[in-house]
Amino acid sequence: MNVPIPASKWRVSDEMTAATKSSKTTESSSNIEGLTGDAAIARALKQCDIDVLSAYPITPQTIIVEDYQRFFADGEVKTKVIPVESEHSAMSACIGASAAGARVATTSASAGLALMWEVLYCASGLRLPIVLAVANRALSAPINIHNDWSDSYGARDSGFIQMYCQSCQEAYDTTIMSFKIAENHSVLLPAMVCIDGFILSHNVEHVELLPDEVVRDFIGIRDPAQVLDPDKPITIGPICFTDYYFEVKEQQDRAMKEVFRVYKEVESEFEKISGRSYGIYETYRTKDADIVLLTHSSPAGTAKAVVDALRDRGERVGLLRLKLFRPFPAAEIGKELASAKAVAVFEKCLSFGAAANPLALEVRTALYEQPKRPLVTDFVIGLGGRDVPPTVIVEGYNKTKQYLEKGKAPFYETLGVRK
Amino acid sequence: MSVKLKDMIQSPQIMSSGHRMCAGCAAPPIIKIMGFALRGPTIICNATGCLEVATTIYPQTAWRIPWIHVAFENVAAVASGIVEGINAMKEKGRYKHEHVDVIAIGGDGGTFDIGFGSLSGALERGHDFVYMVYDNGAYQNTGIQRSGATLPGQETTTSWAGKAEPGKRERKKPIAEIVAAHRIPYVATVDPFHYRDFITKFRKALEVEGPAFIHAFSPCPRGWRSESSKSMELAKLAVETGIHPLYEIINGDEYIMSAPSKNLTELKPVDEYMKLQGQFKHLFSPQWEDFRKQVQEQVTADWERLKKKCGIA
């Protein structure tokens, strides 16, 4: 079943991880450092000159706050860092500060994100552009500190924008862009910047940092739409009953749809200052592909290596690497994948009792209206940080091929687990 | 204090009429009295509860000053975010007000129970804000369920008086002293009947640097099954019977008995307080005679302990 692939082919080359480098780039004063995903996010937050960072320790996001507290201790930032007593209070303090007009951020993972659950919905319902960096980690029980996507996938309906990063560079870039997207007056929604716990959060990669003033000019100072202002008193967070609640949610949904446009605008501006762009999703060798692998975050890097290896063997395979999960770009992905015969989804989350798992549910819906609807397979991989070697991706590919011949696939299956 | 009380009560009211609080509820007068103590631009954070629900039914609001509600258990955390957000913007030179007072308000459920972790954390971090609990002795907003502030013998919908039970059996959390144990600069208990004492203390709470805590006693005719016209009488009796003595705690250990309590020659029997309320009615049956006595003994013992702490023989 498992196609042996030489180790040399597993290695993800720079070409695969680096974002499209525009030829127009002005590479004048850029500066490259070796940073973990967490450290890269901390550096981005520092350059974004946030007013408040309110966070509680949880592995594997802790380095972000540790680094930031170091900047504070050395007098490098004017941020007020609030070392709250819980993640629930972390998000609550962010909400208060954001409602007062400040630019704010927090970070969390796993159980911490779960404890924040209630107030995630408050942040989005109050339309506060808070940035939340998530180092994706499995949920208890059993307790586990390693990576999967159960935490932020669980919060997929919370009204947060969700962006998943594949490299430390992308984590840095996305954190900077996230403020500009979230604070845009057509959006005004909180945003999660997600990286795979340990795999990215603790792995050192080359990160090209932008000069402080370039970031400052890029994101500017927050221009809040409504604030708690003693000169112009307003009531924020009133009770809305049957007569208005639904309209509030309708507006929130509409704002979420604006993200596609705003993301593209912000990214094209970002490309001008950095030469880098990622897109709401990225396609890799999909043009003539019969089978398209679909995933995001760190497995996408592995999948790119698998695509190359399989292509060498004459297989017509490609990859769609998703960046934006909320809002889900269903229409674009539907069109993008319409000509494929099958789409193999790989996801690090199990939605107990569901017809399929979160990512595949979205993909199947996106493809349902296509005239020649591709077969969709759903492979749950890597729960609790279980390694996802190329062989697992190849196994999923081979299974998809077989199902395609049979014309039928199970709703989902797990790979890389003792059964 | 340089500001005169008679000038303070001329200040504009922070909450309009027309809100939907129950007739006789003491929370609106508490807010009115609190409003007189304000000294400048102020932001209110309100935990989920009666006050929040009944004053801000969208698209209307009774609040004339900036006000925010987020959730039930996090009002102290929300306030700490506002304080620090403003501090950061001030330091960066992009905040127009020289100073803004931040007040967090929660009911007893949101303070004694579900919001206690958030409160304790905010106190430990030392943000400059005032937290006020309006304590009506139960989760009145959700339909009169017992809380950590419910008195022994009080009947609620989760501590029924029945053939085998006298209502709640457990004592009430001494929240003011628990809060004072954080060694914050200022803690005071207040009562809407003694509004002068209330205004003076609230102003002090605003003026100290760092966190201050105000424990306001708030009669609830709906939950207590009392006449709506008797709320201020009940507020007065709470002080006279020692159910809610008035005192201040400075820096965690300096206790000062306030005049309305200090001037009492002796406590009135708790029975006088209980008799005006349907929620204690069962305690006057022979079956709960002993239990009622125990409640009285506990209140008396707490009073004696407090007197000692305040240096009153």
PDB file of all heavy atoms in Angstrom, chain A residues 359-378:
ATOM      1  N   LEU A 359     -13.318  19.964   7.736  1.00  0.00           N
ATOM      2  CA  LEU A 359     -12.798  20.442   6.456  1.00  0.00           C
ATOM      3  C   LEU A 359     -13.516  19.777   5.279  1.00  0.00           C
ATOM      4  O   LEU A 359     -13.890  20.434   4.306  1.00  0.00           O
ATOM      5  CB  LEU A 359     -11.281  20.190   6.386  1.00  0.00           C
ATOM      6  CG  LEU A 359     -10.534  20.719   5.172  1.00  0.00           C
ATOM      7  CD1 LEU A 359     -10.786  22.201   4.939  1.00  0.00           C
ATOM      8  CD2 LEU A 359      -9.022  20.464   5.325  1.00  0.00           C
ATOM      9  N   ALA A 360     -13.741  18.465   5.408  1.00  0.00           N
ATOM     10  CA  ALA A 360     -14.393  17.744   4.315  1.00  0.00           C
ATOM     11  C   ALA A 360     -15.848  18.176   4.152  1.00  0.00           C
ATOM     12  O   ALA A 360     -16.371  18.227   3.038  1.00  0.00           O
ATOM     13  CB  ALA A 360     -14.314  16.245   4.554  1.00  0.00           C
ATOM     14  N   LEU A 361     -16.497  18.497   5.253  1.00  0.00           N
ATOM     15  CA  LEU A 361     -17.887  18.961   5.160  1.00  0.00           C
ATOM     16  C   LEU A 361     -17.956  20.224   4.294  1.00  0.00           C
ATOM     17  O   LEU A 361     -18.851  20.375   3.466  1.00  0.00           O
ATOM     18  CB  LEU A 361     -18.454  19.274   6.548  1.00  0.00           C
ATOM     19  CG  LEU A 361     -18.765  18.081   7.452  1.00  0.00           C
ATOM     20  CD1 LEU A 361     -19.216  18.569   8.825  1.00  0.00           C
ATOM     21  CD2 LEU A 361     -19.826  17.174   6.850  1.00  0.00           C
ATOM     22  N   GLU A 362     -16.977  21.108   4.503  1.00  0.00           N
ATOM     23  CA  GLU A 362     -16.942  22.359   3.741  1.00  0.00           C
ATOM     24  C   GLU A 362     -16.661  22.057   2.262  1.00  0.00           C
ATOM     25  O   GLU A 362     -17.287  22.607   1.368  1.00  0.00           O
ATOM     26  CB  GLU A 362     -15.839  23.282   4.267  1.00  0.00           C
ATOM     27  CG  GLU A 362     -15.931  23.604   5.735  1.00  0.00           C
ATOM     28  CD  GLU A 362     -16.953  24.667   6.089  1.00  0.00           C
ATOM     29  OE1 GLU A 362     -17.396  25.386   5.181  1.00  0.00           O
ATOM     30  OE2 GLU A 362     -17.308  24.763   7.277  1.00  0.00           O
ATOM     31  N   VAL A 363     -15.687  21.173   2.044  1.00  0.00           N
ATOM     32  CA  VAL A 363     -15.265  20.887   0.669  1.00  0.00           C
ATOM     33  C   VAL A 363     -16.393  20.199  -0.099  1.00  0.00           C
ATOM     34  O   VAL A 363     -16.692  20.550  -1.238  1.00  0.00           O
ATOM     35  CB  VAL A 363     -13.975  20.034   0.673  1.00  0.00           C
ATOM     36  CG1 VAL A 363     -13.621  19.580  -0.736  1.00  0.00           C
ATOM     37  CG2 VAL A 363     -12.817  20.825   1.280  1.00  0.00           C
ATOM     38  N   ARG A 364     -17.043  19.239   0.545  1.00  0.00           N
ATOM     39  CA  ARG A 364     -18.160  18.550  -0.131  1.00  0.00           C
ATOM     40  C   ARG A 364     -19.259  19.539  -0.494  1.00  0.00           C
ATOM     41  O   ARG A 364     -19.826  19.489  -1.577  1.00  0.00           O
ATOM     42  CB  ARG A 364     -18.718  17.440   0.759  1.00  0.00           C
ATOM     43  CG  ARG A 364     -17.843  16.196   0.773  1.00  0.00           C
ATOM     44  CD  ARG A 364     -18.632  14.931   1.092  1.00  0.00           C
ATOM     45  NE  ARG A 364     -17.748  13.771   1.023  1.00  0.00           N
ATOM     46  CZ  ARG A 364     -17.299  13.117   2.099  1.00  0.00           C
ATOM     47  NH1 ARG A 364     -17.682  13.487   3.309  1.00  0.00           N
ATOM     48  NH2 ARG A 364     -16.488  12.087   1.959  1.00  0.00           N
ATOM     49  N   THR A 365     -19.558  20.463   0.441  1.00  0.00           N
ATOM     50  CA  THR A 365     -20.588  21.467   0.158  1.00  0.00           C
ATOM     51  C   THR A 365     -20.150  22.350  -1.009  1.00  0.00           C
ATOM     52  O   THR A 365     -20.949  22.658  -1.895  1.00  0.00           O
ATOM     53  CB  THR A 365     -20.844  22.328   1.407  1.00  0.00           C
ATOM     54  OG1 THR A 365     -21.182  21.458   2.479  1.00  0.00           O
ATOM     55  CG2 THR A 365     -21.966  23.320   1.182  1.00  0.00           C
ATOM     56  N   ALA A 366     -18.876  22.729  -1.009  1.00  0.00           N
ATOM     57  CA  ALA A 366     -18.365  23.601  -2.070  1.00  0.00           C
ATOM     58  C   ALA A 366     -18.481  22.927  -3.443  1.00  0.00           C
ATOM     59  O   ALA A 366     -18.675  23.595  -4.454  1.00  0.00           O
ATOM     60  CB  ALA A 366     -16.919  23.979  -1.781  1.00  0.00           C
ATOM     61  N   LEU A 367     -18.369  21.602  -3.469  1.00  0.00           N
ATOM     62  CA  LEU A 367     -18.350  20.882  -4.751  1.00  0.00           C
ATOM     63  C   LEU A 367     -19.715  20.365  -5.178  1.00  0.00           C
ATOM     64  O   LEU A 367     -19.890  19.932  -6.321  1.00  0.00           O
ATOM     65  CB  LEU A 367     -17.369  19.707  -4.671  1.00  0.00           C
ATOM     66  CG  LEU A 367     -15.897  20.118  -4.529  1.00  0.00           C
ATOM     67  CD1 LEU A 367     -15.023  18.896  -4.287  1.00  0.00           C
ATOM     68  CD2 LEU A 367     -15.433  20.869  -5.778  1.00  0.00           C
ATOM     69  N   TYR A 368     -20.660  20.424  -4.275  1.00  0.00           N
ATOM     70  CA  TYR A 368     -21.948  19.780  -4.535  1.00  0.00           C
ATOM     71  C   TYR A 368     -22.622  20.304  -5.796  1.00  0.00           C
ATOM     72  O   TYR A 368     -23.229  19.555  -6.545  1.00  0.00           O
ATOM     73  CB  TYR A 368     -22.879  19.976  -3.330  1.00  0.00           C
ATOM     74  CG  TYR A 368     -24.112  19.111  -3.395  1.00  0.00           C
ATOM     75  CD1 TYR A 368     -24.054  17.773  -3.020  1.00  0.00           C
ATOM     76  CD2 TYR A 368     -25.320  19.635  -3.851  1.00  0.00           C
ATOM     77  CE1 TYR A 368     -25.176  16.971  -3.095  1.00  0.00           C
ATOM     78  CE2 TYR A 368     -26.441  18.834  -3.919  1.00  0.00           C
ATOM     79  CZ  TYR A 368     -26.366  17.503  -3.542  1.00  0.00           C
ATOM     80  OH  TYR A 368     -27.476  16.708  -3.621  1.00  0.00           O
ATOM     81  N   GLU A 369     -22.489  21.615  -6.033  1.00  0.00           N
ATOM     82  CA  GLU A 369     -23.195  22.229  -7.159  1.00  0.00           C
ATOM     83  C   GLU A 369     -22.433  22.087  -8.490  1.00  0.00           C
ATOM     84  O   GLU A 369     -22.910  22.539  -9.521  1.00  0.00           O
ATOM     85  CB  GLU A 369     -23.451  23.720  -6.884  1.00  0.00           C
ATOM     86  CG  GLU A 369     -24.408  23.973  -5.718  1.00  0.00           C
ATOM     87  CD  GLU A 369     -25.773  23.325  -5.908  1.00  0.00           C
ATOM     88  OE1 GLU A 369     -26.227  23.222  -7.071  1.00  0.00           O
ATOM     89  OE2 GLU A 369     -26.371  22.898  -4.898  1.00  0.00           O
ATOM     90  N   GLN A 370     -21.239  21.519  -8.447  1.00  0.00           N
ATOM     91  CA  GLN A 370     -20.471  21.401  -9.688  1.00  0.00           C
ATOM     92  C   GLN A 370     -21.092  20.345 -10.606  1.00  0.00           C
ATOM     93  O   GLN A 370     -21.511  19.288 -10.142  1.00  0.00           O
ATOM     94  CB  GLN A 370     -19.010  21.028  -9.384  1.00  0.00           C
ATOM     95  CG  GLN A 370     -18.250  22.122  -8.636  1.00  0.00           C
ATOM     96  CD  GLN A 370     -18.317  23.474  -9.335  1.00  0.00           C
ATOM     97  OE1 GLN A 370     -18.246  23.562 -10.556  1.00  0.00           O
ATOM     98  NE2 GLN A 370     -18.500  24.527  -8.547  1.00  0.00           N
ATOM     99  N   PRO A 371     -21.165  20.654 -11.914  1.00  0.00           N
ATOM    100  CA  PRO A 371     -21.826  19.724 -12.845  1.00  0.00           C
ATOM    101  C   PRO A 371     -21.214  18.319 -12.814  1.00  0.00           C
ATOM    102  O   PRO A 371     -21.935  17.324 -12.821  1.00  0.00           O
ATOM    103  CB  PRO A 371     -21.645  20.381 -14.214  1.00  0.00           C
ATOM    104  CG  PRO A 371     -20.839  21.606 -14.010  1.00  0.00           C
ATOM    105  CD  PRO A 371     -20.706  21.887 -12.565  1.00  0.00           C
ATOM    106  N   LYS A 372     -19.856  18.268 -12.808  1.00  0.00           N
ATOM    107  CA  LYS A 372     -19.218  16.946 -12.713  1.00  0.00           C
ATOM    108  C   LYS A 372     -18.570  16.873 -11.345  1.00  0.00           C
ATOM    109  O   LYS A 372     -17.380  17.079 -11.190  1.00  0.00           O
ATOM    110  CB  LYS A 372     -18.176  16.769 -13.825  1.00  0.00           C
ATOM    111  CG  LYS A 372     -18.820  16.461 -15.168  1.00  0.00           C
ATOM    112  CD  LYS A 372     -17.914  16.789 -16.315  1.00  0.00           C
ATOM    113  CE  LYS A 372     -16.923  15.678 -16.632  1.00  0.00           C
ATOM    114  NZ  LYS A 372     -15.949  16.123 -17.651  1.00  0.00           N
ATOM    115  N   ARG A 373     -19.415  16.593 -10.369  1.00  0.00           N
ATOM    116  CA  ARG A 373     -18.987  16.644  -8.978  1.00  0.00           C
ATOM    117  C   ARG A 373     -17.854  15.656  -8.693  1.00  0.00           C
ATOM    118  O   ARG A 373     -18.009  14.455  -8.871  1.00  0.00           O
ATOM    119  CB  ARG A 373     -20.207  16.294  -8.118  1.00  0.00           C
ATOM    120  CG  ARG A 373     -20.059  16.549  -6.668  1.00  0.00           C
ATOM    121  CD  ARG A 373     -21.311  16.063  -5.948  1.00  0.00           C
ATOM    122  NE  ARG A 373     -22.522  16.662  -6.491  1.00  0.00           N
ATOM    123  CZ  ARG A 373     -23.705  16.058  -6.475  1.00  0.00           C
ATOM    124  NH1 ARG A 373     -23.853  14.857  -5.976  1.00  0.00           N
ATOM    125  NH2 ARG A 373     -24.761  16.655  -6.971  1.00  0.00           N
ATOM    126  N   PRO A 374     -16.674  16.156  -8.276  1.00  0.00           N
ATOM    127  CA  PRO A 374     -15.588  15.212  -7.972  1.00  0.00           C
ATOM    128  C   PRO A 374     -15.916  14.373  -6.734  1.00  0.00           C
ATOM    129  O   PRO A 374     -16.663  14.820  -5.864  1.00  0.00           O
ATOM    130  CB  PRO A 374     -14.394  16.128  -7.690  1.00  0.00           C
ATOM    131  CG  PRO A 374     -14.782  17.492  -8.115  1.00  0.00           C
ATOM    132  CD  PRO A 374     -16.268  17.548  -8.084  1.00  0.00           C
ATOM    133  N   LEU A 375     -15.328  13.180  -6.705  1.00  0.00           N
ATOM    134  CA  LEU A 375     -15.434  12.335  -5.508  1.00  0.00           C
ATOM    135  C   LEU A 375     -14.615  13.005  -4.395  1.00  0.00           C
ATOM    136  O   LEU A 375     -13.541  13.526  -4.656  1.00  0.00           O
ATOM    137  CB  LEU A 375     -14.835  10.967  -5.825  1.00  0.00           C
ATOM    138  CG  LEU A 375     -14.872   9.905  -4.734  1.00  0.00           C
ATOM    139  CD1 LEU A 375     -16.191   9.125  -4.822  1.00  0.00           C
ATOM    140  CD2 LEU A 375     -13.694   8.953  -4.874  1.00  0.00           C
ATOM    141  N   VAL A 376     -15.146  13.004  -3.159  1.00  0.00           N
ATOM    142  CA  VAL A 376     -14.383  13.595  -2.058  1.00  0.00           C
ATOM    143  C   VAL A 376     -14.090  12.523  -1.022  1.00  0.00           C
ATOM    144  O   VAL A 376     -15.007  11.852  -0.535  1.00  0.00           O
ATOM    145  CB  VAL A 376     -15.140  14.773  -1.404  1.00  0.00           C
ATOM    146  CG1 VAL A 376     -14.365  15.303  -0.191  1.00  0.00           C
ATOM    147  CG2 VAL A 376     -15.372  15.891  -2.414  1.00  0.00           C
ATOM    148  N   THR A 377     -12.816  12.337  -0.728  1.00  0.00           N
ATOM    149  CA  THR A 377     -12.441  11.432   0.363  1.00  0.00           C
ATOM    150  C   THR A 377     -11.968  12.281   1.541  1.00  0.00           C
ATOM    151  O   THR A 377     -11.441  13.368   1.348  1.00  0.00           O
ATOM    152  CB  THR A 377     -11.314  10.466  -0.061  1.00  0.00           C
ATOM    153  OG1 THR A 377     -10.248  11.245  -0.605  1.00  0.00           O
ATOM    154  CG2 THR A 377     -11.801   9.469  -1.085  1.00  0.00           C
ATOM    155  N   ASP A 378     -12.191  11.768   2.745  1.00  0.00           N
ATOM    156  CA  ASP A 378     -11.843  12.540   3.948  1.00  0.00           C
ATOM    157  C   ASP A 378     -10.968  11.676   4.848  1.00  0.00           C
ATOM    158  O   ASP A 378     -11.423  10.645   5.351  1.00  0.00           O
ATOM    159  CB  ASP A 378     -13.137  12.947   4.669  1.00  0.00           C
ATOM    160  CG  ASP A 378     -12.859  13.759   5.937  1.00  0.00           C
ATOM    161  OD1 ASP A 378     -11.741  14.288   6.083  1.00  0.00           O
ATOM    162  OD2 ASP A 378     -13.780  13.864   6.774  1.00  0.00           O
TER     163      ASP A 378
END
